Amino acid sequence: MADNVRACRSCRKLFNSLFGKQICPACEEKMEKDLAKVKDYLWNHKDAAITEVARECEVNQTQIRQWLKEERIQLAEGSVINLICDGCGAPISSGRFCDKCKAQTANGFGAIVNAARPAPQAPSKQTRENPRMRFLDK
C-alpha cells in the first residue's frame, strides 16, 4: 500500500496513486475543467494566439501546448497558433507528427516487426528422396 503513495506533481500533497498517475484527483479534476475552458475558448475564438488563450483561460501556455501534443485539443484551420510536425516541420493542428510522418513511422514499425518474425518455411515434399521421411515398402 505504501508503494502507491506519492506527492502530487501539481500541488505536492500526498495521495494514493493508482495506475501510475502523477497528479491527485483534485488537481486532475481542475485540469479537466481548465481543458474544457480552453476548448470552449478556442471554439469561439478561432484566431486567438496562444498567449491570449492562456491569459483569458488562466492556463499555462506550456499546458496548452501539452494538450495539443496529446491531441486532447485541436487547432482550427487558419489558427495563428503555430504547431509543427516533429518529423518534417510541416504545420499541424494537433499531436506531434503530420499524417505523412505518422504513416512512415507506422510502416517502419511494421517492417521491424516483420523482420523479427521468422520467415514462413515452405512445406517439405514428402517423397522417398526426402531424407527426413521414412517409408515402409510393402
Side-chain angles (χ1 to χ4, degrees):
M1 181 77 165
D3 293 339
N4 294 336
V5 176
R6 67 173 45 172
C8 174
R9 187 175 63 186
S10 182
C11 69
R12 306 304 303 160
K13 290 181 184 175
L14 293 178
F15 74 103
N16 188 12
S17 173
L18 299 175
F19 311 112
K21 290 193 175 191
Q22 302 290 320
I23 60 173
C24 69
C27 289
E28 187 174 19
E29 184 178 328
K30 181 189 179 310
M31 189 175 289
E32 291 301 317
K33 287 179 182 177
D34 288 345
L35 175 62
K37 271 197 297 189
V38 169
K39 281 182 177 181
D40 288 343
Y41 193 84
L42 285 172
W43 179 260
N44 295 320
H45 303 89
K46 294 179 182 3
D47 60 345
I50 197 164
T51 53
E52 177 186 342
V53 176
R55 183 182 63 247
E56 293 299 320
C57 296
E58 298 175 349
V59 176
N60 189 326
Q61 288 183 39
T62 306
Q63 182 61 59
I64 295 171
R65 289 196 183 280
Q66 183 65 35
W67 286 330
L68 285 165
K69 287 189 180 281
E70 292 172 354
E71 296 184 356
R72 296 189 72 190
I73 55 178
Q74 188 168 358
L75 299 173
E77 192 172 321
S79 173
V80 295
I81 298 173
N82 296 324
L83 195 60
I84 58 170
C85 173
D86 285 353
C88 66
I92 55 176
S93 60
S94 70
R96 294 184 54 217
F97 300 101
C98 65
D99 292 338
K100 180 182 166 189
C101 290
K102 284 180 188 177
Q104 286 176 340
T105 303
N107 290 340
F109 284 135
I112 292 170
V113 168
N114 289 336
R117 289 185 186 152
Q121 296 180 1
S124 62
K125 295 180 183 177
Q126 295 183 358
T127 64
R128 292 183 186 269
E129 291 81 34
N130 189 337
R132 295 183 301 177
M133 296 297 295
R134 306 286 186 247
F135 292 94
L136 297 175
D137 289 327
K138 289 186 181 182

